[in-house]
């Protein structure tokens, strides 16, 4: 993840008392990202001439096109870090990690469709429906969503951990989670009765739920204690909302080339946002307070959570 200041005009966002050098954190994240990319490559259907594969080549191509477009891999990396902090191996959590990225990518493909945000650019390239066509984009999203559950069921051991991970992923991505949040977000568009509480309720479901899920899945894979699981859940809830606040700020102030997507989109669509409702500095302060809360929640893990702690602070400074 590229680390740089969000906007040099703003005051320094926080006292960065990370225990590891930024280069160490960057190296840990980069290594995890590469492991996830290799595993995703193995899990995604191959693009083979018609007739030789059970998956039609065009569908496999569209799935790969969107997944392998260079996202930050934040959700899978969080799952691996959480599992590791709880004493499990990265291998144990890899199916969950890849499933989270598949569900996330499906949500981006569908979010970009003309019926939703109607976007031309995602992860720095034409959106799936622009590069292929609408029907293929819908099916690529559907296929990623279902493949996600298949790989968690198949490759998570022991069975109780697999069942728990499936439940967490379903709750986070379904009607009470991301899909419900997306519906509420669409319904709020253009309405003038926005409040911070209503916005938070949308963001906690639309973006926050799928950012909390990796922490819970990492803990489930490791069969962690209730205390540790609850700490990771609170960490995930806090960084999930902080992440969305920064996303809102980037939409106002970010660099379109770095973001790899259209900026100023939220105001064009009449969406409620934190900077719109709270102002820029108060939004940054809120994100900072949430990151601090996330770090406090890691107490039961002690030094085993050092990377997660540093990551929480680093998320405040992301520029893409
Ligand atoms: C269509 C069911 C359905 C849901 C869509 C998450 C979502 C719901 C839409 C995405 C809209 C959006 C841009 C939300 C802001 C936060 C967010 C999810 C940003 C994208 O996530 P990153 O920054 O993306 O982790 P990369 O490309 O790095 O993976």
């Amino acid at each position: 993840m590229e680390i740089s200041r969000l906007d040099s005009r703003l005051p320094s966002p926080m006292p960065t008392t990370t225990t590891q050098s930024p280069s160490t954190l960057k190296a840990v994240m980069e290594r995890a990202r590469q492991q996830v990319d290799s595993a995703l490559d193995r899990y995604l259907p191959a693009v083979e001439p018609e007739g030789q594969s059970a998956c039609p080549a065009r569908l496999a191509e569209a799935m790969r096109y969107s997944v392998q477009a260079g996202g930050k891999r934040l959700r899978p990396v969080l799952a691996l870090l959480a599992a590791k902090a709880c004493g499990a191996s990265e291998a144990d959590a890899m199916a969950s990690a890849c499933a989270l990225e598949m569900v996330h990518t499906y949500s981006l493909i569908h979010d970009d469709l003309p019926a939703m945000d109607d976007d031309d650019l995602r992860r720095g390239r034409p959106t799936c429906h622009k590069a292929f066509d609408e029907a293929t984009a819908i099916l690529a999203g559907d296929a990623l969503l279902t493949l996600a559950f298949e790989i968690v069921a198949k490759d998570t051991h022991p069975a109780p951990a697999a069942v728990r991970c499936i439940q967490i992923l379903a709750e986070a991505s379904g009607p009470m989670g991301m899909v419900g949040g997306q519906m509420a977000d669409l319904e709020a568009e253009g309405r003038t009765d926005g409040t911070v509480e209503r916005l938070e309720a949308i963001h906690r479901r639309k973006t926050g739920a799928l950012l909390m899920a990796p922490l819970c899945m990492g803990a489930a894979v490791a069969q962690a204690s209730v205390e540790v699981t609850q700490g990771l859940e609170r960490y995930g809830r806090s960084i999930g909302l902080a992440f969305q606040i920064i996303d809102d700020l980037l939409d106002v102030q970010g660099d379109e080339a770095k973001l790899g997507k259209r900026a100023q989109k939220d105001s064009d669509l009449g969406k409620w946002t934190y900077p719109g409702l709270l102002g820029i500095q108060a939004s940054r302060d809120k994100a900072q307070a949430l990151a601090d809360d996330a770090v406090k929640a890691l107490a039961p893990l002690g030094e085993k959570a050092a990377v997660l702690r540093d990551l929480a602070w680093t998320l405040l400074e992301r520029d893409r």
Side-chain angles (χ1 to χ4, degrees), residues 3 39 43 97 118:
I3 300 166
Y43 276 129
D118 194 10

Side-chain angles (χ1 to χ4, degrees), residues 72 75 104 106-107 110-111 123 182 207 243-244 247:
K72 294 184 289 297
R75 293 151 194 81
H104 169 56
Y106 124 75
S107 81
H110 282 196
D111 185 62
R123 292 177 163 173
Q182 176 77 349
T207 318
F243 181 90
Q244 179 62 59
D247 209 79

